[in-house]
Amino acid sequence: MNNLVKVGMADLNIAKCPEILTTLGLGSCVGIALFDSISKIGGLAHIMLPSSKQVKNNLNKAKFADTAIVELLNIMVNAGARKNNIVAKLAGGAQMFSFTKTNDIMRIGERNAVASREVLNSLSIPIIAEDTGGNYGRTIELDTSTGILLVKTIGYGVKQL
Amino acid sequence: MTISIEKLNELQLDVLKEIGNIGAGNAATALAKLLNKKVDMAVPKVQILEFKKVPDLLGGADNLVVGILLNITGDINGYIMFMLEQKYARILVNMLMGKELKDICEFSEMDISALKEIGNILAGSYLSSLSSLTMLNIFPSIPDLTVDMAGAILSVPAIEFGKVGDTVLFIETAFLEHDYAVVGNFFLIPDVESYDILLKALGVIS
């Protein structure tokens, strides 16, 4: 398990083949996995909020969809990945509690997923797979030797994206 | 102006700790009445923690835990969350329902409902001490319960706290009944605007 690179909440990191990038317990947060299949460089961000522009305390770039994706892309390109080769996979964005009131905090998962898609679209990075929504947590692993994103849940099975 | 909990001084932290203490004391009394048994309480640990580190206290981000969330409204708005590791949830259900379940997967609708009620009573006791100390009106909603990975459940308070900083206000309480110890964790999650109101009412900021 020495080749496992952990990404925490509001955190991002990159890894090269044969390392595996992982983030545990995504709830309303969204995990954005980027992968260049030629250089076999992968990147993973665990974002908590849709936009750095709505929040005063925005120093941690990895916390927001808009700043985290740009930052992750830059680090990957600096490490030798080519932007044109990079594809994205998304997971998370669940609604963990089901209050009938549809207020902001309760819809944050959905808003995180929407913001992540918008940022990726604006950067012309294709989203080739996605497992978002629902009301359950996810642990994800990006295998940089294959680009496969493994999504594990409690009670909702395991998926390969 | 919004105040960040990272910037609280020792005195302000002490006030919040004391509320945690009183609230947990009331919660222990309520639990004792419910169980009709003597329930002791350890001195609660109140910490301001980076939210990255919180899942480790609950056995890791992918550990299965129970989370009970209540919406709070009134003079302050936000959420209160009560989290329990599954072994403690099982002990509580067994005590309350007179069962001997070995696994959280065996919980029936009734057991889940009992657990929600415990969350309701504990969160309610905590809120009523907060309310009487601050003279603020605070009303809890009915509780919602979910069983999932610690990290996933924690994302709910962490995101709300994330709007103002990178830390959470975390209150760990241990209840002791006979041979059993049950450790529960409270998170008080005021929304951005309610921080000021809360701290003003406590007299820690003017």
Side-chain angles (χ1 to χ4, degrees):
Chain A
M1 296 295 272
N2 289 333
N3 59 353
L4 205 60
V5 179
K6 272 196 182 181
V7 174
M9 197 180 265
D11 188 14
L12 56 83
N13 211 342
I14 65 161
K16 282 180 192 170
C17 181
E19 291 173 319
I20 293 173
L21 278 160
T22 184
T23 193
L24 305 177
L26 284 165
S28 299
C29 300
V30 170
I32 300 141
L34 302 182
F35 185 62
D36 173 352
S37 59
I38 312 280
S39 64
K40 304 236 188 255
I41 293 175
L44 185 63
H46 181 151
I47 63 106
M48 295 173 68
L49 289 161
S51 168
S52 61
K53 293 176 186 77
Q54 296 157 359
V55 179
K56 274 187 197 159
N57 183 334
N58 57 10
L59 293 175
N60 181 358
K61 286 183 178 167
K63 200 195 277 183
F64 310 96
D66 57 347
T67 46
I69 296 173
V70 172
E71 178 78 0
L72 188 62
L73 185 64
N74 284 340
I75 298 174
M76 285 176 71
V77 169
N78 284 338
R82 282 197 54 196
K83 188 181 173 255
N84 292 342
N85 297 336
I86 293 175
V87 294
K89 293 176 182 180
L90 298 180
Q95 181 175 319
M96 298 305 298
F97 291 92
S98 54
F99 280 119
T100 47
K101 226 167 101 183
T102 51
N103 54 11
D104 266 6
I105 187 182
M106 287 303 133
R107 289 185 50 247
I108 192 78
E110 189 189 324
R111 292 198 295 133
N112 278 334
V114 169
S116 302
R117 279 180 220 127
E118 281 172 4
V119 176
L120 289 165
N121 286 338
S122 73
L123 293 166
S124 310
I125 298 174
I127 302 167
I128 56 166
E130 192 175 319
D131 179 35
T132 57
N135 61 352
Y136 50 90
R138 296 168 172 91
T139 283
I140 59 173
E141 287 175 9
L142 175 66
D143 186 336
T144 56
S145 61
T146 58
I148 289 173
L149 186 71
L150 194 67
V151 182
K152 298 186 212 167
T153 64
I154 294 175
Y156 294 87
V158 178
K159 274 184 208 167
Q160 279 195 351
L161 299 183
Chain B
M1 188 205 100
T2 50
I3 182 161
S4 151
I5 45 173
E6 277 133 275
K7 298 194 185 100
L8 294 181
N9 62 31
E10 276 301 309
L11 173 75
Q12 293 166 333
L13 267 181
D14 276 347
V15 172
L16 289 173
K17 282 185 186 175
E18 189 51 28
I19 293 176
N21 223 335
I22 297 168
N26 286 347
T29 310
L31 193 60
K33 277 188 194 152
L34 192 69
L35 296 170
N36 203 17
K37 284 175 180 159
K38 187 173 180 296
V39 175
D40 289 321
M41 181 196 76
V43 176
K45 284 184 225 159
V46 180
Q47 286 172 287
I48 304 273
L49 275 182
E50 265 188 88
F51 45 60
K52 273 182 205 162
K53 293 181 183 150
V54 178
D56 295 336
L57 294 175
L58 291 152
D62 56 355
N63 189 25
L64 189 68
V65 301
V66 177
I68 300 162
L69 188 75
L70 294 96
N71 191 356
I72 53 179
T73 51
D75 293 333
I76 61 168
N77 293 297
Y79 294 86
I80 185 163
M81 186 144 104
F82 184 59
M83 278 180 86
L84 280 169
E85 281 192 62
Q86 54 171 326
K87 57 182 171 191
Y88 300 127
R90 203 185 36 153
I91 292 171
L92 273 180
V93 164
N94 285 348
M95 275 199 248
L96 196 68
M97 306 299 283
K99 291 188 174 178
E100 284 185 20
L101 302 178
K102 297 208 164 44
D103 195 317
I104 195 162
C105 302
E106 298 171 32
F107 281 11
S108 67
E109 280 287 309
M110 198 62 199
D111 299 333
I112 294 282
S113 175
L115 212 46
K116 273 190 191 176
E117 190 50 28
I118 288 177
N120 205 6
I121 290 167
L122 298 184
S125 329
Y126 180 80
L127 288 177
S128 71
S129 20
L130 185 63
S131 177
S132 52
L133 266 171
T134 55
M135 310 285 279
L136 294 171
N137 289 314
I138 307 170
F139 309 106
S141 72
I142 54 161
D144 193 7
L145 181 143
T146 199
V147 181
D148 211 313
M149 301 172 192
I153 294 178
L154 276 170
S155 70
V156 176
I159 284 171
E160 200 52 30
F161 275 111
K163 293 176 187 165
V164 284
D166 292 304
T167 54
V168 291
L169 177 69
F170 174 85
I171 304 157
E172 184 189 285
T173 314
F175 298 107
L176 311 159
E177 189 272 316
H178 214 54
D179 302 332
Y180 298 108
V182 174
V183 180
N185 305 285
F186 281 104
F187 297 87
L188 179 66
I189 315 151
D191 67 11
V192 180
E193 293 79 27
S194 299
Y195 265 112
D196 279 3
I197 301 171
L198 190 60
L199 292 171
K200 269 180 198 152
L202 290 166
V204 289
I205 58 167
S206 50

